[in-house]
Amino acid sequence: MNALDHEDAVAVVGLSVRLPGCDSVARYWSILEAGEDSITRREAAAAATFVPAYGSVPGPGHFDRDRFGIAASEALLTDPQQRLLLEAVDEALGTANVDRAGTTAVSVYAGVGHSDYERWVGSALAGRPGVDAQSLEVTNRGDYAATRVAYRLGLQGAAVTVQSACSTALTAVHLAVQDLLGHGSDLAVAAASSVRVPAPGGYDAPLGGIGSADGVCRPFDAAAGGSVPGDGVGAVVFKRLADAVRDGDEIWAVVRGSAMNNDGSGKSGFAGVDAAAQTEVIRAALDVAGLGPADIDYVEAHGSATLIGDSTEWSALAEVFAEAGHPVHVGAVKGGLGHLREAAGLAGFAKVVLSLRHRRFAATPHFERLPADLAARSGPLRPLGEALDWPAVPGRPRRAGVSAFGLGGTNCHVVLEEAPAAPVTTPSRDPQLLLLSSHHPDALDADLAALRDHLGENPSRIADAAWTTQTARHRYPHRAYAVVRSPDEVAGAFESDRLRIQRGHTTADAPEVVFVLPGIGSHYPGMGAELARRDPLFARNLEAVVAVADPLTDGAVGRSFATEPARPDRGGDRVDLRALLRRDGSAPAPRELRELHLSLFCMEHAMARTLMDLGIRPAALLGHSLGEWVAAVLAGVVGLEDAMAAVARRADLVKTAGPGAMLSVLAAAEEVERYAVEDTWIAAENGPGHCVFSGRPDAVSTLAGRLRAAGFTTLPVDARHPFHTPQLAAAAARLGEDLRHVDLAPARIPIASSVLGAWLDGEVPEPGYWRDHMVSRVRFAAAAGLVLSRHRVLVEVGPGTARPWIAQADPDAVCVRTVRQSYENAGDRQILLEALGELWAHGVEADWPRLHRDTVDRNPEHRNPVRRATLPPRALLRRRYLPDTEPPAGPWPAPGAARQAEPVPETPAQEPPPEEEAPGSSVGQFLAHRFRVLLGLREVHPDDHFFHLGGDSLMGVHLISGLKELTGRAVPSSVVFASATLGGMTREVQEWLATNEYEPEPLDHGSPVS
C-alpha cells in the first residue's frame, strides 16, 4: 500500500466481542482456530417443533455498574443488551488505547436487537419510585443505545443508533468508516448487541421455516436445514490509517472499502433475497477499494444455512469472483455460533480481522460437502471444511471480504486487508515504568496480574507497553505502577509486597506538588552520575549548572558526576544493610567543602529542572539548610551565578570556625535538648521524632554517649564542621556583608522558610536572612507544618531523609523521593521512574512524551522507537442485575421450553420493597428513602451526593414530584438541587417550606440538570 492509499483507508485499532462460548477476543480466536461449535444444546422439550439449542453469551444479565458510574436502580432498569453494549465499547476503546478524556472527537454507530426486558422489569418493579413509562423507555428502547454509550463514556462525536436487521453490525461498520473518511471524527466505533434475557434456550422450527430442525447450523453444506439463533455483542474501533501509522497504533487490519445497498422490490417478497443486489454490493465495495476480484483471497459469507439464502449468496459470489484466477476461500461463522441477528456481521468481521492477524483460514464447523447445484457453479470458490494457513501472495497483502444481508434487503460488504508491516521496537534493557488504573481495587489487582502475565509472554514489548500505559490509556482513580528493570525481572516487579506500596488513589482535581530540597547529610560522591550518563534531559540540566560550578572548584564538581559510585551487590537485594548501618568498614573519602556543597547544589537544581521539564511544577518550595539556597534560585529570589558564588563563599567561611561534628537523634528536640553539653547545640528540628545536634567533635562525642546511655538512638552525620551553631557567628556576619551587593527579588514561588518558620511569598529576604540561615537552627519541622497545612504531595528533590520526618508529622501526606541513597542497589533511572510512578498514582501527570523524547534522540535511526501495544482488557467486577420475579410469558420461548436461568446472587441487586412511610414523615426521612430506592443504596449518609452516586435528571423529577406528594407544595428544582447532598438537600427544602408557606406554587421548568 502506498502513501496515497493511506489517506483512503481506515485502520482497525480496537476490538471486543462477547459471543456464544466466549467473552474475549483471545477466546474467540481459539474457538475459530479449533473449529468449535459454541451452541448450547439441551434435551428435547415436549413441544414437537421446539429445538432446545441456542447460542448464549456468558453472563448476559451481569454488569459492572461501578465502572460507568451507574446507580444500582438504573442498572436494573436498563436493557441488558445496552449494558453489554456499553461494556463492549468500553473494552474496544481500551484495546485501542484511547484515553477518552483527551480524545473527544469519537463517534459511535451502534445497534441493538429486539428485547422483551422492558416488559419484564416494568411489571416486576411496577409502582416503585422512579419506575414509570418514561424511565422504562429511556433505559430500554434502542433509540437511546448509541447516545447512552456516548454519554457514559464521554464521546462527543456523532452518536447514531443503527437498525437494519441482520446487517445492522456491518452497516454500523460502513457508517463508521464513512464518518472517518469524511473527517467527521478522528475515531469511530461500530458496535452491535443482540441478546435476549433470559435466553430462551431454544426456538420453534416448524416445517418449512428457517430454523434448523436438529439444532445444527450448516452453511453451504448439502445437509443444511436452517439457522440456529444466538446472541452476540461486539465493538470495533476505527481510525484513519494515516493517523494510526503516525501515532504508532497497533493496527489489527485495514478497511480498504465498503458499500451498502438494498434489494428494493426486485425479489419475491419483503423477506426474500436478491442475488443481483448482493452481486452489486460486493462489486461496489471492491470498486471503492480500488481492487478487483483477483485481489481477494477469502470471503466471510452471510451464510444463513437456508436453502434459498445459501443458493442466492453462492450465485452472487460465483458471479463476482468468476475471473479471480485463483481459489477464493469461503467461510461462515454461523456454523459454530448460530445466527446472531443484529450482531451477526460483527462476528464475521471480527473473524476476518483475527484471521488476517494470525494468517490462518478458520474452518466452518459442520461443513462436509457442497450441494450438487452449488458445486456445479462454484468456479474458484472453495468452502472451508478445515483450517488452513493463509499463505502470502507475492506483490500484495492478504485481503478478504465480509458480507451481511439483512431481512428487508439492506446488504453490506466490507473489504479488509492485513495490517501494514510495523516497525519493530528494539528490545530495551533500560528500566521501564508501567502505569495501571482501574475503577475498583479488586479490578486493579486483576489487571496487574494480567499485565504481569502478558509481559512475561511478550518480553520484547515491555518498552511499548510502558509507552502505551503512560500516553494512551484512560485514567481511573485506583492506581498502581511497576518499574521493570529488565525483561528478565518482570515477575519481581509485580511482587505483591512491592505493589502493596506502589498504589494510590486520585480525586477529580490533580494535587499541587511541593519540592523539598535536602541539605548536607545524605550526599555521597557520584550521586546522579548514572542519570548524567543515561538520561539526556537530566544531563542537559546538570551540564548547565556544572558549567557555573566548575570554575569555582577547578572542575571538581564536574568530575564528581563523571564516575558512578559502586552500588552494593547483595544478590539483587534492594538495600545493603551493612552500608545502611555504616558497619561495612568503609567511610567516604574527605572532600573539599566547596566541592561537596556545590555538587549537592548542582544535583538538586538539575533534578528540580528535570522534573519541571517533565511537567511537574512546584506550587511551593521547602528547603533544608543548603537546600534553601536551591529553593531561592528556583523561586527567582537570587540568580544562579550569585547563589553558587554565595554557597562557595559560605563553604569557605564555615571552615574558619574550626572542626565540628553533627549527631542525628531519633527524638524530638524538646525531648533531648536538656542532654546537651557545653559546645553542643540543636542544629535542626526535623520532625516530631528527629533532630540533629552540632558542635565541637569532643563535645558531640560526649553527648552521644549521654544520649545512648539514656536509651536514645543516635547516628553520626557525615559532616566535619559545626553547622548551624554559634561557632559560625563571625562567618555568618561576613557572608551577610558579602550579600549586600547581590540583587535579591521577591519569591515567585512560595518558600516555607526553615529560618523563620513562616512563608516567604512575594517578599524579598534581606541579606541578614542568609546570615541567620547560616548560624541559627533549621526549623524544618515548623516549615514542613506550613506546607502540610496547604499541600498533600511533596517531592524530595535530591538525596535526603525527609520522608520519615514528613510521615511523622502527617501520616496521610505523600513524600516522594527522586534520588537513591548510597546504600541502595537500585539504579538512578529506576528511582526516578518510581518517583514519577508514585506521583502519578496520586494524581500528578508527567509529560510522558517528553520522558521518551530523548530516547528518540538517542536512536535517530528509529522513527518510532516505541509503539503502542495491545494490552490485556481491563477487568470488570460484574454482578447480576435482573428482576427477582419470573419474567412474563415472552414471545419467543415455546411451551415446555426451559429458559437459561441466571444464577441467583448472594445479595439481591434490587432493593427489597420499602416499608410504608408513616403519614407526616419528615422531609429528611422521605429524602433518605428516595435516595435508597432511586440510587439502589442500602444505607445513606448526609454527605451522599445525588449525582455522584449515579442520579440523573429523570430521577430528580421523581424526587421533586414525591416531595410535592409529601408536602402538598411544589418545591422548585432550584431549591431541591441547591445542594445535591442528602443533608444539604434536606436543609434547603425545609428552609424553603418554612419561609414560603403562603406563596403560590411557582412555575418550575424542570431540574437544572435536565
Side-chain angles (χ1 to χ4, degrees):
M1 177 178 288
N2 56 43
L4 180 62
D5 291 328
H6 283 200
E7 300 297 326
D8 301 318
V10 168
V12 176
V13 293
L15 179 66
S16 70
V17 296
R18 192 166 295 159
L19 302 169
C22 68
D23 59 1
S24 70
V25 171
R27 173 60 183 151
Y28 185 35
W29 176 246
S30 69
I31 287 173
L32 292 170
E33 192 172 34
E36 294 181 19
D37 182 325
S38 299
I39 294 169
T40 302
R41 298 178 178 85
R42 291 176 170 80
E43 293 183 7
T49 60
F50 183 79
V51 179
Y54 197 79
S56 299
V57 300
H62 285 63
F63 181 55
D64 187 345
R65 67 177 182 84
D66 291 332
R67 179 63 153 264
F68 308 102
I70 295 176
S73 54
E74 182 183 346
L76 183 60
L77 282 178
T78 303
D79 177 9
Q81 291 187 121
Q82 298 199 33
R83 301 187 321 218
L84 292 167
L85 181 74
L86 183 56
E87 288 183 348
V89 174
D90 179 55
E91 181 179 318
L93 288 170
T95 63
N97 298 313
V98 176
D99 178 4
R100 303 195 308 271
T103 313
T104 53
V106 181
S107 297
V108 56
Y109 296 86
V112 296
H114 172 70
S115 172
D116 204 40
Y117 186 75
E118 180 179 350
R119 188 160 62 98
W120 181 13
V121 73
S123 63
L125 303 183
R128 300 282 294 278
V131 181
D132 59 14
Q134 186 177 14
S135 63
L136 288 169
E137 176 183 337
V138 171
T139 53
N140 284 272
R141 300 293 169 83
D143 309 52
Y144 309 105
T147 49
R148 172 168 287 103
V149 168
Y151 168 65
R152 287 297 174 185
L153 299 183
L155 312 181
Q156 295 182 304
V160 180
T161 296
V162 180
Q163 184 54 262
S164 60
C166 314
S167 61
T168 293
L170 215 58
T171 297
V173 167
H174 171 73
L175 295 174
V177 168
Q178 295 305 308
D179 186 338
L180 286 170
L181 294 177
H183 290 265
S185 61
D186 295 326
L187 282 164
V189 182
S193 178
S194 181
V195 180
R196 292 172 176 172
V197 175
Y203 57 96
D204 274 321
L207 187 64
I210 63 171
S212 170
D214 63 357
V216 179
C217 185
R218 301 179 177 86
F220 304 115
D221 191 75
S227 290
V228 177
D231 295 336
V233 189
V236 189
V237 181
F238 298 101
K239 194 173 189 177
R240 285 182 291 273
L241 179 59
D243 295 345
V245 171
R246 176 201 64 204
D247 295 340
D249 288 313
E250 184 138 346
I251 299 171
W252 297 53
V254 174
V255 176
R256 284 296 303 266
S258 64
M260 184 170 62
N261 69 6
N262 192 272
D263 294 346
S265 58
K267 54 187 178 181
S268 59
F270 178 73
V273 291
D274 180 30
Q278 293 180 14
T279 300
E280 177 55 33
V281 79
I282 297 171
R283 284 177 170 161
L286 288 170
D287 188 52
V288 169
L291 302 173
D295 295 310
I296 304 299
D297 305 316
Y298 172 77
V299 174
E300 174 64 22
H302 185 71
S304 63
T306 60
L307 181 62
I308 296 177
D310 281 1
S311 178
T312 301
E313 184 172 10
W314 198 259
S315 296
L317 290 172
E319 182 175 346
V320 172
F321 293 100
E323 304 301 325
H326 60 77
V328 177
H329 297 283
V330 179
V333 77
K334 291 182 180 65
L337 303 181
H339 193 333
L340 310 186
R341 302 181 302 277
E342 289 79 7
L346 200 141
F349 184 91
K351 174 186 172 182
V352 174
V353 168
L354 294 174
S355 294
L356 286 165
R357 192 173 174 86
H358 293 278
R359 300 175 180 178
R360 289 273 290 172
F361 294 123
T364 300
H366 308 297
F367 179 85
E368 294 183 2
R369 60 185 178 85
L370 284 168
D373 60 329
L374 270 61
R377 45 195 168 94
S378 290
L381 303 181
R382 300 290 185 271
L384 281 164
E386 61 179 350
L388 302 171
D389 286 334
W390 191 337
V393 179
R396 69 166 175 83
R398 297 169 178 85
R399 296 193 182 105
V402 189
S403 292
F405 308 133
L407 191 149
T410 295
N411 308 306
C412 195
H413 189 81
V414 178
V415 177
L416 283 163
E417 178 176 285
E418 67 179 325
V424 177
T425 302
T426 304
S428 173
R429 303 296 298 184
D430 292 335
Q432 300 294 334
L433 171 64
L434 294 117
L435 310 175
L436 277 89
S437 66
S438 187
H439 65 296
H440 191 279
D442 292 345
L444 183 57
D445 288 338
D447 290 341
L448 286 164
L451 182 60
R452 176 200 62 209
D453 295 343
H454 175 78
L455 296 179
E457 296 169 0
N458 301 275
S460 64
R461 299 295 305 273
I462 293 175
D464 290 341
W467 167 255
T468 302
T469 63
Q470 292 166 18
T471 64
R473 302 278 280 180
H474 188 71
R475 298 337 197 187
Y476 289 96
H478 297 279
R479 297 184 174 187
Y481 69 93
V483 175
V484 179
R485 296 195 300 185
S486 73
D488 304 325
E489 300 185 23
V490 170
F494 287 85
E495 288 177 350
S496 58
D497 60 336
R498 183 168 294 178
L499 292 177
R500 186 168 58 252
I501 62 174
Q502 293 180 177
R503 301 177 77 120
H505 182 271
T506 66
T507 58
D509 298 323
E512 292 183 322
V513 169
V514 176
F515 281 3
V516 180
L517 292 310
I520 293 295
S522 296
H523 59 282
Y524 53 91
M527 54 188 172
E530 179 194 334
L531 277 180
R533 178 174 60 84
R534 302 181 65 180
D535 188 298
L537 183 58
F538 176 82
R540 282 196 294 270
N541 285 314
L542 182 65
E543 182 181 354
V545 70
V546 166
V548 180
D550 266 354
L552 300 172
T553 60
D554 294 327
V557 170
R559 289 191 296 272
S560 73
F561 288 102
T563 304
E564 292 183 40
R567 292 203 297 269
D569 184 8
R570 295 293 184 271
D573 289 345
R574 180 86 180 215
V575 172
D576 182 346
L577 289 177
R578 288 180 58 81
L580 171 65
L581 300 174
R582 302 185 185 175
R583 295 172 181 168
D584 57 355
S586 64
R591 300 171 69 192
E592 181 64 32
L593 203 57
R594 265 197 181 205
E595 175 197 340
L596 190 155
H597 283 202
L598 291 178
S599 294
L600 183 61
F601 187 107
C602 290
M603 176 70 203
E604 294 182 7
H605 189 277
M607 180 59 72
R609 288 297 179 190
T610 298
L611 292 172
M612 294 166 74
D613 287 344
L614 291 173
I616 300 169
R617 298 187 171 274
L621 300 165
L622 170 61
H624 187 289
S625 187
L626 180 66
E628 196 161 333
W629 278 99
V630 184
V633 174
L634 296 174
V637 171
V638 60
L640 177 63
E641 291 81 2
D642 287 336
M644 295 190 76
V647 168
R649 174 67 169 153
R650 180 178 181 266
D652 294 342
L653 291 170
V654 165
K655 290 188 292 185
T656 66
M662 301 183 77
L663 185 72
S664 176
V665 185
L666 204 61
E670 58 268 20
E671 189 178 357
V672 295
E673 192 164 11
R674 60 191 174 90
Y675 291 94
V677 299
E678 186 178 1
D679 290 335
T680 63
W681 298 268
I682 293 285
E685 298 175 3
N686 293 326
H690 190 275
C691 66
V692 176
F693 279 94
S694 182
R696 300 199 181 279
D698 292 345
V700 171
S701 179
T702 301
L703 173 63
R706 292 188 65 186
L707 289 170
R708 285 194 294 270
F712 293 100
T713 301
T714 68
L715 194 68
V717 176
D718 181 18
R720 295 173 175 81
H721 301 279
F723 293 103
H724 300 288
T725 68
Q727 291 178 240
L728 294 174
R734 292 171 65 183
L735 180 66
E737 287 298 320
D738 291 345
L739 290 173
R740 291 188 182 278
H741 307 291
V742 174
D743 291 331
L744 301 176
R748 295 195 297 266
I749 302 173
I751 299 175
S753 169
S754 57
V755 176
L756 306 175
W759 286 103
L760 292 177
D761 190 357
E763 303 167 21
V764 180
E766 296 295 328
Y769 177 88
W770 299 107
R771 180 192 62 229
D772 295 341
H773 174 272
M774 185 174 178
V775 75
S776 64
R777 73 173 58 178
V778 179
R779 303 185 184 278
F780 184 83
L786 295 173
V787 166
L788 293 172
S789 68
R790 297 183 183 181
H791 305 284
R792 315 305 304 153
V793 179
L794 293 76
V795 183
E796 192 172 42
V797 186
T801 56
R803 289 185 301 154
W805 308 339
I806 299 298
Q808 290 170 13
D810 187 345
D812 294 328
V814 176
C815 189
V816 180
R817 57 78 172 267
T818 57
V819 179
R820 75 176 184 90
Q821 298 288 0
S822 60
Y823 48 76
E824 286 187 279
N825 189 33
D828 293 348
R829 175 75 173 179
Q830 177 183 348
I831 297 299
L832 178 57
L833 292 179
E834 287 176 354
L836 296 175
E838 188 172 357
L839 287 169
W840 178 84
H842 290 91
V844 181
E845 287 279 355
D847 182 348
W848 303 110
R850 181 66 186 271
L851 179 66
H852 289 266
R853 195 173 303 151
D854 295 303
T855 304
V856 177
D857 295 341
R858 286 186 298 174
N859 297 277
E861 70 275 13
H862 298 300
R863 181 176 177 273
N864 286 313
V866 285
R867 297 171 46 244
R868 294 177 182 173
T870 300
L871 302 178
R874 282 172 161 139
L876 294 172
L877 302 177
R878 309 179 76 237
R879 58 169 295 183
R880 180 183 185 269
Y881 288 94
L882 295 176
D884 290 334
T885 63
E886 281 292 315
W892 43 76
R899 296 184 178 91
Q900 297 182 31
E902 282 280 323
V904 178
E906 295 180 5
T907 54
Q910 80 186 67
E911 184 77 12
E915 298 179 4
E916 289 294 322
E917 294 278 353
S921 295
S922 70
V923 168
Q925 290 173 320
F926 168 80
L927 289 174
H929 171 251
R930 282 293 166 102
F931 265 59
R932 287 195 301 271
V933 173
L934 289 173
L935 301 175
L937 305 174
R938 296 196 177 279
E939 296 180 358
V940 291
H941 186 274
D943 292 334
D944 284 344
H945 194 287
F946 187 73
F947 298 110
H948 291 175
L949 292 172
D952 59 23
S953 56
L954 281 177
M955 297 179 190
V957 169
H958 279 281
L959 195 150
I960 293 169
S961 65
L963 282 171
K964 183 174 182 180
E965 293 176 8
L966 176 72
T967 65
R969 310 280 302 287
V971 184
S973 63
S974 58
V975 172
V976 177
F977 294 107
S979 170
T981 64
L982 174 59
M985 190 180 292
T986 301
R987 182 177 61 255
E988 296 288 341
V989 172
Q990 287 175 333
E991 290 179 359
W992 186 88
L993 290 171
T995 57
N996 293 272
E997 187 173 356
Y998 300 106
E999 291 185 8
E1001 288 189 359
L1003 293 174
D1004 192 348
H1005 299 289
S1007 165
V1009 295
S1010 296

